[in-house]
Amino acid sequence: MTTNDTPVSTNFIRQIITQDLKENKNQGKVATRFPPEPNGYLHIGHAKSICLNFGIAGEFKGTCNLRFDDTNPEKENIEYMESIERDVKWLGFEWAGLYNASDYFEQLYSYAVQLIEQGLAYVDSLSAEEIRVYRGTLTEPGKESPDRNRSIEENLDLFTRMRAGEFADGAYVLRAKIDMASPNINMRDPAIYRIRRVHHHRTGDAWCIYPMYDYTHCISDAIEGITHSICTLEFEDHRPLYDWVLDKLQTPSHPQQIEFARLQLEYTIVSKRKLNQLVTEKHVNGWDDPRMPTIAGLRRAGFTPKAIRDFCERIGVTKQNSWIEIGVLEYCIREDLNENALRAMAVLQPLRVVIENYPDGQVEQLEISNHPQKPELGKRQVPFSKVILIEQDDFAAIPPPKYKRLIEGGEVRLRGSYVIKCNEIIKSAEGVITELRCSYDPDTLGKNPEGRKVKGVIHWVSEAESAEAEIRLYDRLFTVPSPDNEPNFLDVINHDSLEVLEGCRVEASLAQASPENRYQFERTGYFCLDSVDSVDGKLVFNRTVTLREGGWAKD
Ligand code: ATP
Ligand code: MG
């Protein structure tokens, strides 16, 4: 069912299901579904729901469907459907069945006719605004529409003609006849059908009336034989309506709706509508921009399915809304990458080092392991030569206290290579350091120098045998922990969330990097090849996450 290898913890939903199975409810069957509306790309909040629904199906030997809740044709499209399928698969899950609410339009229509025939639904001519006013408030009961007592015959006639396209958009709605005085506003005769002349990405122009979400959702669940319909807390007040529809219609099954708290992640937005706005107004470069909390963005940034599943497991499932620190997600990806990313060397801001006593034109292939703790990941050849590049800030002309890297007259070890000593600093006319003249100790390859200690280790690449790369460093997209609570979330966008470094140099082996591989650039962070912009031999790497919390590792 799933490839989820993250340890499974218990939670209140799993407890409910365990109990149901004990009582042999649903003949011992467990069937869940993940029901996205195809109106945007999936985000990390959806991952929580996906891991929960598919995870439960896997754990209880049940099934989980992927169902597109496609009742709002204005905002939905095929691109979104395809991205959702891709993302669910990438996370490591397989659906039992792939369905669309629109598959059920005909059945939903005949169920609506049944409601009318039972005197439980009526065609209303009030305008949307009038319906809103008639609905009342939390403290005042609603008022009945003058159309509420229309005869069944007349309702059937009008509803048939609504479908046939005889009326303008908005001229009528079909409403469930429940209780205009209910303390639960969702029960005050909710609309269940509206007239919308909009092309639907799957049913085309076959329909000019579309069923409303609440009405559609419960029936779709029942048609698919879902046993546990898991949704987020804001639907708690809709549950009486969910149950009302299924009770009145005597559908083949009556799934149990269970609500849990949605994921809120600090410094991010988890609302497709707002993410859509970021994309359409070009605050980011598309749905898969590595700064986006979308699955596509996280993937492009170098996150792994395992890390995301681990994150969803760690944050747990409860009924209390709370904010999760972004550090939790970063922790999960660091854990995975520390264990699995291949090591490599990249110099982000190069400083030229000429090793004066190294033979001209000689290139030595040094064998360096791809992972210090995992010999099975093998070794690679890293070319060493007379002219190498190191990070500008791995050299200090005026070293701060306890500085362990290269200083004038001092020594440092080059990772996987020799110990070098800086003999002379070369500066431009403006006083900028342009080059270091060094010497190497040929006796220090793979062993400590005689009679002295060299503490610092720095990374490097050969100037001639390295490849040029653009490296993109990302920061959080918002400047405050809860951008969703701002009057306008666009006001708190972090305008320094992307730093592009050009002219970086990466070791030769990275010229063959693939976006599927994850790398730890020694001492610098975790990176992966950008799957979109790395074309025609141009290397672009995205920083997935820093090595440690709070930034860059040094020394
Ligand atoms: P959005 O506001 O981002 O569009 P939504 O809830 O309207 O979110 P749907 O496409 O309807 O998006 O969501 C599909 C499923 O994912 C639903 O069951 C929903 O409850 C769940 N889901 C959406 N956002 C979150 C979240 N932040 N945390 C947990 N589950 C979520
Ligand atoms: Mg929605």
Side-chain angles (χ1 to χ4, degrees), residues 1 43 82 109 123 149 151 169 205 213 216 302 307 337-338 381 386 414 420 464 473 475 523 529 531:
M1 173 83 239
H43 51 62
E82 289 172 349
Y109 179 83
V123 174
N149 294 315
S151 71
D169 285 14
D205 297 315
Y213 177 85
T216 308
L337 296 182
N338 180 39
Q381 294 199 323
K386 188 180 180 82
L414 299 175
I420 58 167
L473 306 179
D475 201 347
R523 302 175 61 243
L529 191 73
S531 54

Side-chain angles (χ1 to χ4, degrees), residues 127-187:
S127 68
E129 175 57 19
E130 286 165 327
I131 288 182
R132 200 184 57 73
V133 174
Y134 273 59
R135 188 175 295 131
T137 63
L138 282 175
T139 50
E140 286 166 54
K143 218 166 76 178
E144 294 188 354
S145 162
D147 291 343
R148 198 171 198 266
N149 294 315
R150 219 191 266 289
S151 71
I152 291 175
E153 292 65 36
E154 202 183 338
N155 280 320
L156 284 173
D157 173 60
L158 285 171
F159 190 50
T160 311
R161 290 162 60 196
M162 277 170 68
R163 176 178 183 172
E166 290 188 25
F167 310 118
D169 285 14
Y172 290 105
V173 289
L174 182 70
R175 297 177 72 176
K177 192 167 174 178
I178 310 181
D179 179 5
M180 288 307 291
S182 172
N184 182 342
I185 293 187
N186 294 306
M187 299 297 273

